[in-house]
Amino acid sequence: MEKTSSSNASKDPAILSAQESHINDGDENCDRGNWTNKSEYMLSMIGFAIGLGNIWRFPYMAYKNGGGAFLIPYFLMLALCGIPLFFLESAVGQFCSQGPVNIWRAVPIFKGIGVSMVVANILFSIYYGVIIAYALYYMFASFQSPLPWSSCFSWADSYCSSTPLVACNVSGVLVTNWTQENITCPSSDKVTVSVTSPSEQYWDRVALQRSSGLGDTGPIVWHLALCLLLSSMIVAAVLFRGIKSSGKVVYFTATLPYVIIFILLIRGMTLEGARDGLDFYIGSQSNFTKLTEAQVWKDATAQTFYSLTIAMGGVTTLASYSKFNNNIFMDAVIVCLLNHGTSVFAGFAIFSILGHMSHVYGKPVEEVVTEGFGLAFIAYPDALSTLPLAPLWSVLFFFMLFIVGLDSMFTPIEVISTTLCDAFPKQLSHKRGYVSLCVCGIIFLLGLPCVTRAGIYWVILIDQFAATWVMLVVAVFEIIGFCYIYGDLHMVTCDLCSPLLWRSPLPRLGLDSGLVHCCLHRYLDPCWHGVYADKS
């Protein structure tokens, strides 16, 4: 009787409106809230999993590792590692209804793994915040005709050129304007000078104002700092009510990138030279002998973890707001397949336009293809500047990068906020909006060193170390913790009549195999004893 009155009091509309705006009356979990519907959950998962790595990292990985041949290890690693781990994290999160730290009540000695996930999300948020700032700056700069990086304007130095620069060695001095001064230069005195493209100089000298190295910090680049502030304000506004507000925004942010990629693909396929780019991507230039190299399989595994963002706590956090009987198995399969399919799809749009760029400049495709930031902010903008209506295509491309980055940043901020609210439920659960605001503010301040003149060096460090190998190491300990340490210490007898298994969503998913029940019982049982036992 006392429990019933307490439950009714917790659902009092006045209390909910005053303290728990992130919880609705119809939510199954009255403490943390649930997704309003399945669509919002799936779109949030898709938006989180599909990020910038699918657009600028995978196409180069495929090209570097044999083109179409790379798809074999890439999808094989998805089947062997990606889907099982994605399913494991979804199952643990949904059953426990807890964030990435509290689920480790199962194996308390491994609670540091959950803490490391939160730290990785802090670094990930800083990284993505700066990337969004870059995309915003380029999007605003694209509202000009001609595009500011289409030629060598006043900001360029003497080594800026779209074509090779030939100098004349006159008495030991290299003269670059010898043709303008009517100097006759013998062939033996002609020297080819290394030049940089206008888009590369714009990236270094205007957008980044790059310093000489990490030790030369320099002042804050204020146009990037303002873009970083704008992106932080947008994320804070979207996440103010937690999943209740972000779930509405993902209808736009998770679907629009597909529309823009499709538009860019159609435009790219109509350009002269597009086929050459596609041949180097996954076409006739595919090199199947690359499959014998260990590096190719390592890259396929790393890219699978990177693109699905496994072992970062995001999957667990988003699943923790699902209803208890949600079909997590089909969710995991759909999101994982869509993620890898998007990588391949985006590559066609990228390489079709890069093929046109190589045709315009008369260079082989391999000379215009770069990876990471070079692809997104140097090579591709350079290619877009060669198109008719270049500002339009440039605005569309960078707006897509902004939306994709924004969608991927929602979940890391949600992971940090959820961890804090789960750690201090009495103090913070009814102040969820203010927690999100504070987290976004702190991430903005931490991101300011990354928008100084040496900021790009910090961003590269985070990209190469915090966002790749960390996930592989955490995933290994995640498997050891749940499958071996907990499994060996708790000899679970597989019984299909177990109250835990009947309460779990597994029978409804068609997973009635005793072996599957036994394996997943090891994952779900710790949450029952470590979390739900506390509620009884």
Side-chain angles (χ1 to χ4, degrees), residues 34 47 115 162 191 193 242 249 324-326 332-333 338 389 467 476 491 499:
N34 297 105
V115 176
S162 299
V191 179
V193 180
V249 175
F324 190 78
N325 293 324
N326 177 53
V333 172
L338 189 59
L389 298 176
V476 169
M491 302 303 294

Side-chain angles (χ1 to χ4, degrees), residues 42-62:
M42 288 298 292
L43 288 173
S44 296
M45 275 288 197
I46 291 169
F48 171 58
I50 298 172
L52 297 175
N54 301 79
I55 297 172
W56 73 31
R57 186 183 173 95
F58 172 79
Y60 180 82
M61 281 287 182

Side-chain angles (χ1 to χ4, degrees), residues 128-130 132-140 222-238 399 402 406 409-410 440 444-445 448 451:
Y128 257 94
V130 177
I132 295 171
Y134 293 161
L136 275 175
Y137 173 74
Y138 267 79
M139 185 183 73
F140 293 143
W222 286 105
H223 58 256
L224 293 180
L226 291 174
C227 290
L228 179 63
L229 176 62
L230 177 59
S231 66
S232 300
M233 292 172 62
I234 294 173
V235 172
V238 170
F399 183 64
F402 165 65
L406 199 66
M409 192 174 175
F410 291 157
C440 289
F444 165 72
L445 295 176
L448 287 178
V451 292

